Amino acid sequence: MKADLLDGQGRRLDYLRISLTCACNLRCTYCMPMGWQPSQGEESPMTCEEILALARVFHELGIRKIRLTGGEPLLRGDLLPIVRGLKDLGIEELALTTNGLLLKDLAQPLKDAGLDRVNVSLDTLDPVKYLSITRGGALSKVLEGLEAAKRSGLTPLKINTVLLGGFNEIEVDALMELTHHEALSVRFIELMPMGEALHGIFRFYSAQTILNEHPELQPLPQERGGVASLYRLPGYKGTIGFIDPISCSFCDTCSRLRLSATGKLRLCLHHETGVDLRLALRQGRDLKPLILEAVKHKPKRHQLEEASHSGATMNEIGG
Ligand code: SAM
Ligand code: SF4
């Protein structure tokens, strides 16, 4: 039986999101500035060995689920050894969030290396709008990536759509339709007012608006540790999720920790990074007491306002 990692509020933390890089092959307008560069003097991302060494400690403390994110995690040349190494540690659920551009060729190798499933971010089904919101991405590549993920068994497949008022609200029905004949989940995420989204042109468009417009959506039980409220359209195979981060509705049961690409522990998406675990690893310090002390200070609830002032963009935080 594994130990339980508890924070100061008594919440059990069993889910770690690891950012593999801040770099990305897209520049989604609400996420990343066009000319984004790593800050001057920025440290290089953790090596595969550092990631595995830190993940081992977290696993021994009680982490059972890991999600790899970024930036764009598929850009890591050593992604397959990272996935293999994490699975070999005994991580029960190993997932990855990607923009899907490089997924076509990587889906099967990732599955073979031990990845369980993927979430693919997709904000529009219109190739011209996709090109514009991502500043240059090809929708066809993402669709090929989705097909490859299904073929390779990286399932249940989830599609993440950020709700962008003035951009994709007219596509909500078409996106929900993707769940008609396939057992996938389309999850609508409210835009968080942080990083690039603060300067953007998009109106806030709430999950509640969609729920009001679709009374036929049938509520389903929530997944354990999940952040989405789940629904199904009558007779549809897949599910529809709504993630409303602003309302703090999932802070009370938050089970997450985050590790930045340079090895800093982040206790909440909306707070500054904390203890530098890679530095501690390099110094040969005992990491367990450091982590146990740090998690005591995980905030009870997020304060989106603070994150707004931290200047961090979402590609740096890891979504
Ligand atoms: N590059 C990968 C991708 O796009 O899936 C992984 C990293 S990306 C930062 C993770 C998720 O954060 C994406 O689904 C993206 O749409 C979402 N995201 C970025 N900025 C956001 C914001 N301001 N509010 C809500 N979601 C945001
Ligand atoms: Fe890159 Fe993902 Fe941010 Fe888009 S949302 S710019 S794909 S990190």
Side-chain angles (χ1 to χ4, degrees), residues 26 81 118 130 226:
L26 293 179
V118 286
Y130 187 81

Side-chain angles (χ1 to χ4, degrees), residues 30-31 69-72 97-99 121 160 162 189-192 194 197 314 318-319:
Y30 57 86
C31 174
T69 178
E72 176 48 40
T97 300
T98 173
N99 60 33
S121 304
N160 288 344
V162 179
I189 305 171
E190 287 177 354
L191 181 66
M192 289 181 259
M194 55 193 296
M314 201 60 134

Side-chain angles (χ1 to χ4, degrees), residues 2 14-15 17 22 24 53 66 84 109-110 119 124 165 202 206 218 222 229 233 267 271 283-284 288 296 315:
K2 277 239 145 313
D14 62 0
Y15 177 15
R17 295 172 70 104
C22 295
C24 189
I66 288 184
R84 216 172 286 122
L110 280 168
N119 288 8
T124 172
F202 304 111
S206 74
Q218 301 168 334
Q222 196 166 352
S229 353
L233 282 165
L267 300 168
H271 282 76
Q283 291 170 337
K288 281 188 186 163
K296 284 189 199 159
N315 65 299

Side-chain angles (χ1 to χ4, degrees), residues 11 222 226-228 243-245 247-255 302:
R11 291 172 295 194
Q222 196 166 352
V227 291
I243 302 177
D244 52 351
S247 69
C248 266
S249 54
F250 47 79
C251 294
D252 287 346
T253 54
C254 181
S255 59
H302 70 62

Side-chain angles (χ1 to χ4, degrees), residues 247-313:
S247 69
C248 266
S249 54
F250 47 79
C251 294
D252 287 346
T253 54
C254 181
S255 59
R256 300 164 173 222
L257 290 171
R258 293 182 151 78
L259 197 54
S260 79
T262 56
K264 317 272 189 313
L265 183 65
R266 186 181 275 268
L267 300 168
C268 169
L269 175 59
H270 304 295
H271 282 76
E272 297 282 2
T273 50
V275 49
D276 186 338
L277 290 178
R278 172 171 59 182
L279 181 64
L281 176 73
R282 288 177 176 174
Q283 291 170 337
R285 293 174 64 188
D286 188 357
L287 297 173
K288 281 188 186 163
L290 263 184
I291 296 171
L292 288 170
E293 177 55 31
V295 300
K296 284 189 199 159
H297 306 287
K298 182 171 160 71
K300 192 169 176 201
R301 304 179 88 72
H302 70 62
Q303 280 155 351
L304 269 166
E305 279 314 299
E306 281 183 26
S308 311
H309 298 303
S310 79
T313 52

